[in-house]
Amino acid sequence: MKLIIGLLAATALSGAAQAQDAPGPRNVILMISDGAGFNGWLAADYYEGEAGTRAYQVRPEGAGEYYRGASAHYALRLIDEGGAILANNALEAASGAEAQGYIPRERWERFEGAFANDFGPGAIAYTFYTDSAAAGTAIHSGRKTVSGRVNMNWDVTTPFETIAHITDRRGLATGVVTSVQATHATPASAWAQTASRHQYPEIFQQMADGWLDVIMGTGHPLFDGSGRLVDEPGERAFRYVGGSQTWAALTGEAGLNGYDFIDTREAFEALAVGDIPAPERLIGIARSSGSTQATRQGFPEDASTPSGMAFNPDTPDLATMSLGALSILDNDPDGFFVMIEGGAVDWMGHANNMPRFIEEQIDFNTAVDTVMDWVETHSSWDETLLIITSDHETGGIWGEGTYETPEGETRYDPARDRFVEFRAVKDRGVGEIPGHQFASGNHTNELVPLWAIGRGASQFEEFERFDLQAQALWGEVYGWDGGYVDNTAIFYVMDTVIAGRELTGAN
């Protein structure tokens, strides 16, 4: 049964805008490096010696429209009857939800202003930080909510329609690809509507209802996070794939809701290169309960990887999954929408593990290169919009020497440590981990990069504001003028392209 979809965001545009018809196929490819802010992005770019020179970081030849900027993000914060902010976002004491925005002047007043979520209850950030569920909701539906909700308003009375719902309703193909569980918050926010991001079985059942054409990710119940077989998995192991009964239907002879199923690396690769026919509908669950690579343990040493450990050879990389998804979605002559996520970048930010953070960001960048090659070979920038961004920053990554802390201590504590100055991560050369500090183990409100290439990309300029202090830190290396948009603008731009319109002006 098709989801009950809220129509409130279906045709909304920010400010007064006019639109004109734009015929022909229209494809939207949204690529999200979960948890990567400017300093994290820069760390991986320095490691590979490609800071500011990657294919998407300069205007590609023949791309036509191009946008280089940043995205702000925040969740609603709950308030009590008197309008006071609830420090712990306690729903049971809430009588409403308050919207804010990214305020450069206030962000740069104090170092901890964007990540005051690691320490005492009195330290409330000037604007409440988001999680992937609320950020993904804003990106996919253009609507703000509180952390934990997936396309639902703060009190769970109104479901939100997403860009994938709109794409499907218009008769175009839809897909979701991720390097983590297919039901994790960001991929879930492309389609599901739930009160909590942790309702994994329900999320999978909604996603696999037969309307999404492609679902790819991990969460395999028969393998652990290193891709090794599990003896007698219990029911909990099946939570990411809808429960044991849903899994049995998906992998059984009769199938689930018309989906073909694959789980081996060889099958993902065969689909990507066209060695097997592209099915009408596909669910691919890579053989890992965690991520494709970030959760691996016990593999041999390998000096060629940032972490020094060999990769799991039995899981596909994000580029392979992306190419396989595109081979299916491109069969719709009207076009498609697909969200492709590097999901474990965020996990390594939480863990303050820079070598594996860089590994995951490299995997994401390789996928971007593959997608760009696909556009230029099988489509065109006239009919395809590619958006490359993040949903939020994780870990409070800064350059070494940004703050001073006692030896052996990590993460910033304003009661103990001395802030020196805002510093970008330090380049130490190709193959070397850049000089950095983690200030947090959680999400922050730092701006994240945003690039857009192709059809409709210039529409982001209609939503811009500017942060000159952020520009001073990261602008030179990326050729960025400090312009940023709220993450809801991503939805509005995607909506105009999917609807076959182009903005001709907005206030």
Side-chain angles (χ1 to χ4, degrees):
M1 182 176 181
K2 198 166 178 71
L3 299 175
I4 298 172
I5 295 173
L7 298 176
L8 297 178
T11 57
L13 289 172
S14 178
Q18 296 177 339
Q20 59 186 13
D21 291 338
R26 60 263 192 206
N27 309 318
V28 172
I29 304 171
L30 171 63
M31 302 192 72
I32 297 175
S33 177
D34 196 309
F38 272 97
N39 276 321
W41 218 288
L42 193 56
D45 287 350
Y46 279 152
Y47 184 88
E48 292 198 289
E50 296 193 49
T53 62
R54 295 189 185 276
Y56 62 86
Q57 293 172 1
V58 295
R59 184 191 295 266
E61 184 177 348
E65 297 182 57
Y66 182 73
Y67 178 76
R68 179 192 293 115
S71 173
H73 45 87
Y74 64 90
L76 300 182
R77 56 185 177 188
L78 295 174
I79 55 175
D80 63 19
E81 289 183 357
I85 301 166
L86 296 171
N88 297 319
N89 229 28
L91 182 62
E92 63 276 6
S95 62
E98 181 180 68
Q100 319 108 74
Y102 179 78
I103 308 169
R105 176 183 56 80
E106 294 190 29
R107 188 276 158 271
W108 301 110
E109 277 183 352
R110 60 191 177 103
F111 180 52
E112 67 272 25
F115 59 93
N117 49 299
D118 264 2
F119 34 83
I124 300 174
Y126 77 92
T127 182
F128 203 79
Y129 69 96
T130 188
D131 75 337
S132 292
T137 294
I139 289 170
H140 286 109
S141 75
R143 303 290 299 275
K144 297 289 189 179
T145 191
V146 295
S147 291
R149 302 278 186 261
V150 178
N151 296 311
M152 284 282 190
N153 69 330
W154 73 273
D155 62 354
V156 202
T157 58
T158 306
F160 301 152
E161 185 177 50
T162 73
I163 190 65
H165 298 145
I166 294 168
T167 303
D168 176 70
R169 180 159 48 78
R170 292 182 176 276
L172 282 67
T174 55
V176 174
V177 178
T178 180
S179 62
V180 298
Q181 293 95 346
T183 48
H184 216 257
T186 302
S189 67
W191 188 264
Q193 297 162 323
T194 58
S196 171
R197 59 181 288 175
H198 300 300
Q199 294 174 249
Y200 299 116
E202 182 178 348
I203 287 170
F204 187 85
Q205 289 162 15
Q206 288 186 16
M207 293 176 72
D209 64 359
W211 297 96
L212 280 172
D213 296 285
V214 176
I215 303 168
M216 291 184 180
T218 67
H220 203 297
L222 307 185
F223 294 84
D224 66 14
S226 297
R228 299 183 178 95
L229 276 169
V230 176
D231 293 331
E232 299 182 10
E235 182 63 33
R236 181 174 168 77
F238 294 86
R239 65 193 183 280
Y240 297 121
V241 290
S244 58
Q245 290 185 345
T246 300
W247 177 256
L250 175 63
T251 58
E253 207 170 296
L256 176 69
N257 295 329
Y259 288 104
D260 281 24
F261 174 76
I262 60 172
D263 67 349
T264 67
R265 177 172 180 159
E266 292 76 14
F268 279 102
E269 290 176 342
L271 178 66
V273 300
D275 284 351
I276 59 175
E280 182 178 349
R281 235 181 251 116
L282 177 81
I283 293 177
I285 304 297
R287 292 184 168 185
S288 170
S289 63
S291 71
T292 50
Q293 294 294 343
T295 52
R296 74 191 188 281
Q297 299 294 331
F299 286 89
E301 293 184 3
D302 185 344
S304 69
T305 70
S307 68
M309 180 182 288
F311 289 116
N312 175 4
D314 295 326
T315 53
D317 61 13
L318 190 62
T320 298
M321 298 167 80
S322 302
L323 198 56
L326 292 171
S327 73
I328 298 171
L329 299 171
D330 189 42
N331 288 333
D332 191 318
D334 297 317
F336 61 82
F337 163 79
V338 63
M339 191 286 296
I340 300 170
E341 182 204 25
V345 179
D346 170 74
W347 295 10
M348 296 302 98
H350 282 296
N352 290 179
N353 187 331
M354 183 55 77
R356 291 210 174 186
F357 184 103
I358 289 173
E359 287 179 356
E360 294 302 311
Q361 184 66 14
I362 289 173
D363 184 53
F364 176 79
N365 279 320
T366 302
V368 175
D369 288 342
T370 298
V371 168
M372 291 183 67
D373 288 344
W374 181 90
V375 172
E376 293 171 352
T377 303
H378 299 281
S379 179
S380 73
W381 295 118
D382 290 333
E383 65 183 28
T384 299
L385 170 65
L386 172 62
I387 299 171
I388 303 150
T389 190
S390 181
D391 52 349
H392 56 72
E393 198 271 353
T394 303
I397 300 171
W398 288 97
E400 60 185 352
T402 294
Y403 69 92
E404 295 176 351
T405 189
E407 186 175 352
E409 298 288 345
T410 58
R411 303 179 181 175
Y412 180 78
D413 183 340
R416 178 194 65 202
D417 304 328
R418 186 179 78 86
F419 170 65
V420 179
E421 65 177 349
F422 291 100
R423 295 179 180 177
V425 294
K426 183 176 178 58
D427 186 7
R428 287 181 172 159
V430 176
E432 300 293 332
I433 302 297
H436 67 281
Q437 289 177 293
F438 286 95
S440 172
N442 291 316
H443 300 169
T444 79
N445 287 328
E446 309 297 352
L447 292 176
V448 299
L450 189 155
W451 289 272
I453 308 169
R455 182 174 183 159
S458 61
Q459 294 175 30
F460 281 104
E461 296 171 5
E462 304 285 351
F463 301 89
E464 272 192 322
R465 296 184 179 181
F466 292 85
D467 183 341
L468 296 184
Q469 185 150 343
Q471 191 275 338
L473 282 164
W474 304 299
E476 183 176 356
V477 69
Y478 287 125
W480 173 52
D481 64 1
Y484 70 92
V485 301
D486 186 75
N487 60 0
T488 53
I490 298 171
F491 166 80
Y492 296 127
V493 173
M494 294 191 298
D495 184 40
T496 62
V497 173
I498 289 298
R501 302 190 306 257
E502 302 293 343
L503 288 179
T504 59
N507 295 328

